Each structure stands twice: as structure tokens, then as C-alpha cells.
Amino acid sequence: MNNKEIPYKIYLEEKEMPASWYNVRADMKNKPAPLLNPATLQPMTAGDLEAVFCAELVRQELDDSTPYIEIPREILDFYKMYRPSPLVRAYCLEKKLDTPAKIYYKFEGNNTSGSHKLNSAIAQAYYAKQQGLKGVTTETGAGQWGTALSMACSYFDLDCKVFMVKVSYEQKPFRREVMRTYGASVTPSPSETTQVGRQILAEHPGTSGSLGCAISEAVEAATGTEGYRYVLGSVLNQVLLHQSVIGLEAKAALDKYGIVPDMIIGCAGGGSNLGGLISPFMGEKLRGERDYRIIAVEPASCPSFTRGRFAYDYCDTGRVCPLSKMYTLGSGFIPSANHAGGLRYHGMSSTLSQLYADGLMEARSVEQTAVFAAAEQFARVEGILPAPESAHAIRVAIDEAMKCKETGEEKTIVFGLTGTGYFDMVAYEKYNNGEMSDYIPTDAELEAGFAGLPKVEK
Ligand SMILES: *Cc1c(COP(=O)(O)O)cnc(C)c1O
């Protein structure tokens, strides 16, 4: 098709939006390994999980066989306020790079929370409301998930308790205030409000907190309060399911103009945006209908896919959550202090981990100065100020487009632009001042993380 016939932005009509989420597990021959109970090492039953999570979300978590799950009307109505999101042809970037490659990005930053996380937050809040719960608890690090969840909870009139890693609570006051504006209560973690928080404070007075500790506090607050459940913004199968709306829309937009991508690129923290973006394409691949290159991009300072072990591990540092079989650096792994670009989770979605182990997708790690260079290059020609997380995907999209320039191949690249970076200007400042450095953990450092893996004979 002639370039000129393809608009800068491909928007679907409201009626073309997907009416169901797609569950890629249904088409996987090798299913992701089950979550294990940390006490018994037996697979978690629905009953075990329902003490912590909403019942309908547990059903989705454990459903490996239903390919399409209808999106409830109330969730679709909310989606319509900010979806369909555009699939944008990066004509200006292509021109700047002087590449024959065709580059498209699916932009998920066009809502106040600034990222794709709202797609799952609204679903999780809806099912909590349906169950008649009073509220939900969660943890947040940088704050994107907490922001998305607070928006979703205010929409359904649910209470929202966010445990925010103390160092972020103090250093990112604006995200905290966005959450409070939407009615969430935000507690710096570790706190005096939970037993685990008090214990950690007693052992490590003055600690600035960690994601793992905040998870443990949020789980305790949910299980210890009548009418509350815990919710999580990435990693879990249910979150990938909700995020499939990204890929379904992207595929519908491409199909509308007869465009077939050669490669699909996304950043990977816990794997939810990437899992969502690739779902329908991976489905075609799994069913043998079509082939694509699929590339996960992660930070070189937190390289779970490229240097991690495929093993059962704890999902949190506090070791209160179920064990998941995934590519992991060990639940005690913490990226070096200079790490600024997000994507700092030690593990990875078990679904993506299985697909990667089966050779159905590739992974690449990139260093953060190269990531911020790509972010600025992109911002200057395409206008959008990307989240540092998203810029990992931009980096590899640009690298692949430059390879096309060398070979003269007109490949079609689609990447996920998961969000905007307005709240990440301290990291941009470091980069602009030339104060950002790279760090690649040594094998010995990674070995220390692997030494903490639980012994599971599976
Ligand atoms: C949270 C986040 C990510 C990483 O999370 P995944 O679950 O791997 O998608 C990526 N980009 C943005 C903007 C985020 O907020």
C-alpha cells in the first residue's frame, strides 16, 4: 500500500473496539506453570487465592483454556473515555533516521494516569465492586500503578489504600498527590500500620523501603480488613488478559489497512504491556497461522530474561505471596542505586517466561544512557515525552530501523509506547546533566540473587 494512504494516526471507531479480551494461554501447548502455595509448595487452589484476590479475578488467573472472555459493559464504557488508543505511524522518526523501515507505535499514555496500567486497574476495581467489597489495597513504587488504581477506584466508589515505597513517597510528591486527589489513602512503606511494617522498622530503623516490603504490607492490610482484597498491576495472568486490549486494538488497526508487521517490540518489567500487545500476534504464531519476530526489551541492570534463571521463585521480598515459575534474578535482587529507568521487578510474567523458554520470543537488554538517548531522539521528532520504561522499546525499534537502513529492507516495526514521562524528570535531568551512568551486574552479583531461590523440585 502507498505510504500516503496510511494516516499518521489510525484510530478505530468505537464500534470496532474489542468486545472480549483474548487469553493467549488457551492457545499455548505448554501452559505456564501453576502458582504454588509458599507453605506447602502445592499448586494454589481457587480457595487459597480467594483469601487474597477477588473471586472473578481468581477465575481469570486460573483459566488456561477459554480463549475469549467478554469485557463487561461497565468496563467498556470506561475504556471508551480514553480508548481506542491510536496506532501512530512514526513518519517523522523514519524521516529523521532516513530508514526504509516503517515504524508504528501503539500509544497508551493518553490518560491522566499516563500509562497502560489503567486498562487492568479499571477491570480489577470493577470485579471488586461486583463482589460487594469495600475497597482494595496495593503497593506502588514509582507510582504509575497506584495512580491508575486510584482513578479506577474513584470511578466505582471503592476505597483504595496504597502502600508507597517510602523513598518514592518522599521524592515523588506529585504522584502521591495525584493519588490523593482521586481519593486514595497513601501510606509510606514500611509503616506502623501493619505488623510486617512494624517488624521491618524495628529491624531496619530509617529504611527507605522496597517494593517487596510494600507488597507484604498491602497483602496484610487486605487479608486483615473485612471487605478488602489485594490487587496487583503486573506479572499475573489476569493482568496480561486485561492488557490484551492493547494488542487486539493494534491488530484491528493494522488489519484495517492491510499492514502486516515483521516485528513487535515492547519493554518488559513484569510483562503486562508486552504480554497484552503481543497476545493476538502470538496467538497466530501459536496456531501456526503466521510468524512474527517478537522482542522483549529490559534494562541491562535488571536482566531477568537475558540473564535470569527459569525457576520457581517468590514474587515478593517478604515471601508472603505464591511462588511463580518465571525468569528471575531472585526475590532479593535490587538493581544498583544509579538505576533510573523503571522495569526493576526481579521476575517476569509466567506466561511470557514459558513463551520465551519455548523459543517463541526473543529478549534483549539495553543500558540506560542509550535508553534516554533514544527517548530524547524520539521526543524531539515525534513530540511525545516518553516514560523511561517505554523508551527501552524505542531504543530497540530505532536499532532495528537502522539495521534496515544498512540492508535496505523495508521492514514493518510495531512497538508499544506504554506511557508518558512527565513525572520522571529527575531521571531526565540526570541524563541532561551528563550525570547518568550505566551499570551491568557481574555474574557474581547475580549468583548471590540465585542463591536465594527456593528449592522446588519442578
Ligand atoms: C509499569 C510500567 C511498565 C512496565 O510494566 P509491565 O507490566 O512490564 O508492562 C512499562 N511502562 C510504563 C509506562 C509503566 O508504567
Side-chain angles (χ1 to χ4, degrees):
M1 182 171 293
N2 187 321
N3 266 356
K4 291 209 178 61
E5 294 168 32
I6 297 172
Y8 266 74
K9 289 185 182 164
I10 307 177
Y11 274 109
L12 298 176
E13 312 257 344
E14 234 172 66
K15 60 177 188 300
E16 295 171 301
M17 281 173 65
S20 300
W21 292 301
Y22 168 61
N23 179 7
V24 72
R25 286 169 284 158
D27 283 312
M28 289 169 69
K29 258 196 235 94
N30 299 329
K31 308 290 183 193
L35 294 169
L36 299 186
N37 185 315
T40 63
L41 299 185
Q42 292 306 305
M44 292 288 285
T45 62
D48 293 337
L49 286 165
E50 280 174 19
V52 180
F53 299 105
C54 304
E56 186 57 34
L57 292 167
V58 168
R59 211 183 341 267
Q60 294 179 357
E61 190 63 31
L62 299 177
D63 186 341
D64 282 349
S65 58
T66 311
Y68 288 95
I69 294 176
E70 198 177 317
I71 306 175
R73 166 66 34 206
E74 291 86 343
I75 299 174
L76 271 179
D77 285 344
F78 186 89
Y79 278 171
K80 281 177 192 165
M81 288 196 280
Y82 69 101
R83 310 198 68 84
S85 74
L87 182 74
V88 187
R89 174 80 182 264
Y91 281 115
C92 300
L93 180 64
E94 290 171 17
K95 195 166 163 220
K96 183 80 186 174
L97 299 175
D98 190 23
T99 172
K102 300 178 177 66
I103 309 173
Y104 295 84
Y105 56 89
K106 178 73 170 160
F107 182 46
E108 290 293 317
N110 223 350
N111 67 75
T112 298
S113 77
S115 81
H116 65 286
K117 292 203 172 68
L118 194 55
N119 301 331
S120 184
I122 195 65
Q124 298 194 42
Y126 169 78
Y127 291 116
K129 190 70 183 179
Q130 283 298 101
Q131 197 173 326
L133 298 178
K134 292 193 199 110
V136 293
T137 72
T138 200
E139 76 293 331
T140 198
Q144 281 112 318
W145 168 244
T147 307
L149 188 68
S150 64
M151 284 177 73
C153 286
S154 70
Y155 182 75
F156 284 123
D157 201 18
L158 273 173
D159 185 36
C160 178
K161 294 186 197 300
V162 180
F163 289 86
M164 187 172 188
V165 177
K166 191 183 274 171
V167 60
S168 302
Y169 181 91
E170 286 161 2
Q171 289 178 0
K172 299 205 170 184
F174 297 139
R175 277 242 181 252
R176 182 184 79 207
E177 290 314 314
V178 176
M179 288 183 249
R180 294 180 63 209
T181 302
Y182 283 100
S185 70
V186 187
T187 306
S189 168
S191 75
E192 296 282 353
T193 67
T194 63
Q195 200 183 330
V196 60
R198 287 189 294 275
Q199 193 181 324
I200 289 167
L201 284 172
E203 286 167 17
H204 309 276
T207 174
S208 57
S210 72
L211 210 49
C213 166
I215 294 176
S216 308
E217 284 204 272
V219 171
E220 182 184 322
T223 52
T225 318
E226 174 72 30
Y228 281 74
R229 290 294 185 281
Y230 166 71
V231 294
L232 183 61
S234 184
V235 187
L236 297 175
N237 293 329
Q238 56 186 274
V239 185
L240 267 72
L241 175 72
H242 306 145
Q243 295 297 356
S244 69
V245 68
I246 304 173
L248 292 165
E249 280 184 12
K251 179 133 183 19
L254 292 167
D255 286 348
K256 198 167 170 174
Y257 287 89
I259 306 159
V260 181
D262 295 290
M263 64 188 104
I264 302 155
I265 300 169
C267 65
S272 74
N273 87 82
L274 179 69
L277 174 66
I278 68 172
S279 287
F281 303 97
M282 184 59 86
E284 289 183 303
K285 215 172 145 142
L286 287 163
R287 296 187 302 268
E289 296 164 6
R290 201 169 244 165
D291 200 15
Y292 304 96
R293 275 183 71 197
I294 292 174
I295 309 175
V297 190
E298 62 186 12
S301 50
C302 191
S304 37
F305 265 138
T306 51
R307 295 174 69 199
R309 292 263 169 87
F310 188 35
Y312 267 106
D313 193 12
Y314 301 98
C315 290
D316 61 319
T317 329
R319 303 181 167 191
V320 297
C321 295
L323 305 186
S324 177
K325 189 173 178 194
M326 57 186 174
Y327 281 88
T328 179
L329 299 166
S331 61
F333 180 85
I334 293 176
S336 63
N338 70 347
H339 176 87
L343 310 175
R344 48 172 52 245
Y345 188 61
H346 66 275
M348 187 54 64
S349 139
S350 63
T351 299
L352 292 188
S353 292
Q354 188 62 51
L355 291 167
Y356 181 64
D358 290 341
L360 290 155
M361 52 186 278
E362 306 165 35
R364 212 171 286 175
S365 72
V366 288
E367 293 177 48
Q368 63 179 358
T369 52
V371 166
F372 278 80
E376 285 202 349
Q377 193 175 9
F378 181 84
R380 288 175 190 184
V381 290
E382 289 289 324
I384 295 168
L385 181 81
E389 292 89 345
S390 321
H392 288 72
I394 301 176
R395 174 73 273 160
V396 170
I398 291 177
D399 291 347
E400 288 297 324
M402 294 312 284
K403 279 185 203 159
C404 290
K405 187 175 174 175
E406 280 169 31
T407 59
E409 285 173 294
E410 289 185 32
K411 292 210 168 124
T412 298
I413 300 169
V414 173
F415 75 87
L417 190 68
T418 50
T420 49
Y422 305 116
F423 290 102
D424 300 290
M425 297 322 291
V426 173
Y428 274 93
E429 180 187 29
K430 280 208 180 83
Y431 178 73
N432 289 330
N433 289 343
E435 291 159 1
M436 181 174 280
S437 54
D438 293 315
Y439 186 77
I440 300 179
T442 63
D443 287 342
E445 281 166 327
L446 294 186
E447 282 304 325
F450 299 143
L453 290 175
K455 308 267 174 289
V456 181
E457 300 301 321
K458 282 190 177 80

